[in-house]
Amino acid sequence: MVWGYRMKEDSKPDTSAKMLGKALTVLIVLLSFWFIYQQIESSDIDIFETLLSAEPIIFMSIICIFGVLVLSPIIWKFLMLGSGADVPYRLCFGIWWTTNIAKYVPGKVSLIAGRAYVARKYGSKVVLESFVWELIISISSAVIAGLFLIELEGISSSMKWILVCIGIASLFPILSPKLTQDLVRKPFSLLGRGDWSHDTSMTRRYYCVALFLMIISWLLWGLAHKFILLGLGVDASLPLLIGSFAIAWLIGFFAFFLPAGFGAREGVFTFNLSLFLSGGIAGIVAIVSRTLNVLIEIIAFVFGLTMMSSEELEEE
């Protein structure tokens, strides 16, 4: 009887922790949707009128953006493999799509904490390490895609050289994934955050597949913006569209204080587009792109909820 009573007492902290985690998850989701609503409301452009008055080809951009959201969980799958965990594809889609919405809360803490909690059965350290890899591969692929802009006269020679140098340097993980992973783990090890002495798992194959898929994502973004422009009766070079958005996304990614880089990404994207398009159409493309992106991410969030159960996410 005493043993049974103690078992019940020991289970209380575990139950409380689960309830707290679920409550924080709901709070993050609600805050995310609130920030999304505020940002769309603050736009001076009537998005839905713009979409309805455009040529039907503009809706092809939805397929391209959804393609990006399909590739993202697959990329995360390989980054998790490289970090030491084999997550089933169905759970990869469910976890990534449901936690990605947290990026609309200012700061990256909610996104990282949310994914670490939902994917807790695979280890918080593994999820944290996958985020670092995601950071590295995002910067590398975005800079490589941004090299399409070096032909533009509006970009200074020094900036072009910086892009080229960063692009070349960002390929270092391909040469030595093990050394890169050791460097990734070093700050956590120095901070005394757990044991990081276990063998590294990232291979050249995992990294190259993830990098290739990221580059495909930039191609899909370029096609999405191409279709948006065609729907508005304008055309532009696909390589320039790819490079313009990749650099804008990168700036927004580092704007940690903004929800999902809102404002920073659109501002830089509009500026980049204005180098070869009129400022008015550039601003419309940036806003339409963000709005479609948000709406598709909300749909993916709902689908993600149906792809996993709480039992599958519990620690073994």
Side-chain angles (χ1 to χ4, degrees):
M1 290 294 291
V2 174
W3 179 78
Y5 175 76
R6 286 179 177 173
M7 285 291 290
K8 290 181 180 179
E9 286 293 314
D10 292 341
S11 67
K12 286 183 178 179
D14 185 51
T15 303
S16 299
K18 290 179 181 178
M19 291 297 293
L20 178 60
K22 291 179 179 178
L24 289 174
T25 301
V26 172
L27 178 61
I28 289 172
V29 170
L30 291 176
L31 284 173
S32 300
F33 281 114
W34 183 79
F35 277 110
I36 291 170
Y37 174 77
Q38 290 294 314
Q39 293 299 324
I40 293 177
E41 279 290 299
S42 64
S43 174
D44 295 329
I45 300 172
D46 191 329
I47 299 297
F48 296 104
E49 183 181 344
T50 301
L51 290 173
L52 293 175
S53 61
E55 295 295 326
I57 196 172
I58 197 172
F59 294 102
M60 289 293 293
S61 62
I62 294 176
I63 298 175
C64 295
I65 297 174
F66 184 71
V68 174
L69 287 183
V70 169
L71 285 178
S72 296
I74 300 174
I75 293 170
W76 187 61
K77 161 80 173 182
F78 283 94
L79 296 181
M80 285 292 283
L81 281 171
S83 300
D86 187 2
V87 186
Y89 276 105
R90 181 170 56 82
L91 286 183
C92 280
F93 279 88
I95 293 171
W96 200 94
W97 280 351
T98 53
T99 57
N100 182 56
I101 204 75
K103 71 183 182 181
Y104 291 102
V105 178
K108 303 294 182 185
V109 176
S110 298
L111 176 60
I112 297 172
R115 191 168 299 166
Y117 173 75
V118 176
R120 60 192 178 279
K121 71 178 292 182
Y122 300 103
S124 57
K125 290 190 298 182
V126 173
V127 178
L128 183 60
E129 186 173 322
S130 74
F131 262 105
V132 179
W133 279 113
E134 189 173 343
L135 172 65
I136 293 172
I137 211 164
S138 296
I139 294 173
S140 177
S141 62
V143 172
I144 291 171
L147 292 177
F148 282 123
L149 295 180
I150 61 175
E151 64 181 87
L152 289 177
E153 296 181 358
I155 298 180
S156 64
S157 299
S158 58
M159 180 56 67
K160 292 177 182 179
W161 276 109
I162 290 174
L163 283 174
V164 171
C165 291
I166 295 177
I168 295 173
S170 70
L171 297 176
F172 176 77
I174 296 177
L175 300 177
S176 181
K178 185 180 186 304
L179 178 57
T180 305
Q181 193 159 30
D182 286 335
L183 293 174
V184 165
R185 291 176 173 181
K186 198 66 175 177
F188 301 113
S189 178
L190 293 175
L191 290 172
R193 300 295 183 181
D195 180 19
W196 295 88
S197 60
H198 51 286
D199 291 339
T200 57
S201 306
M202 182 60 73
T203 65
R204 188 173 289 108
R205 174 178 170 270
Y206 291 156
Y207 189 86
C208 287
V209 170
L211 180 61
F212 174 75
L213 293 177
M214 281 291 291
I215 292 174
I216 295 297
S217 294
W218 296 124
L219 173 61
L220 287 173
W221 272 118
L223 288 171
H225 296 124
K226 180 89 168 177
F227 288 130
I228 292 173
L229 279 171
L230 290 174
L232 298 174
V234 184
D235 196 9
S237 164
L238 179 60
L240 292 180
L241 291 172
I242 294 173
S244 296
F245 182 76
I247 297 301
W249 181 93
L250 190 60
I251 300 298
F253 184 83
F254 281 106
F256 298 111
F257 53 92
L258 295 172
F262 260 120
R265 189 174 96 178
E266 285 69 38
V268 176
F269 191 32
T270 300
F271 172 78
N272 290 343
L273 291 176
S274 66
L275 295 175
F276 53 93
L277 294 172
S278 66
I281 196 70
I284 293 174
V285 171
I287 298 299
V288 170
S289 169
R290 171 66 86 170
T291 303
L292 292 178
N293 183 19
V294 168
L295 293 176
I296 295 169
E297 285 180 337
I298 292 174
I299 295 172
F301 169 80
V302 175
F303 273 113
L305 292 175
T306 67
M307 301 183 73
M308 56 187 183
S309 64
S310 57
E311 291 77 13
E312 291 178 298
L313 299 175
E314 293 301 326
E315 296 178 89
E316 299 176 351

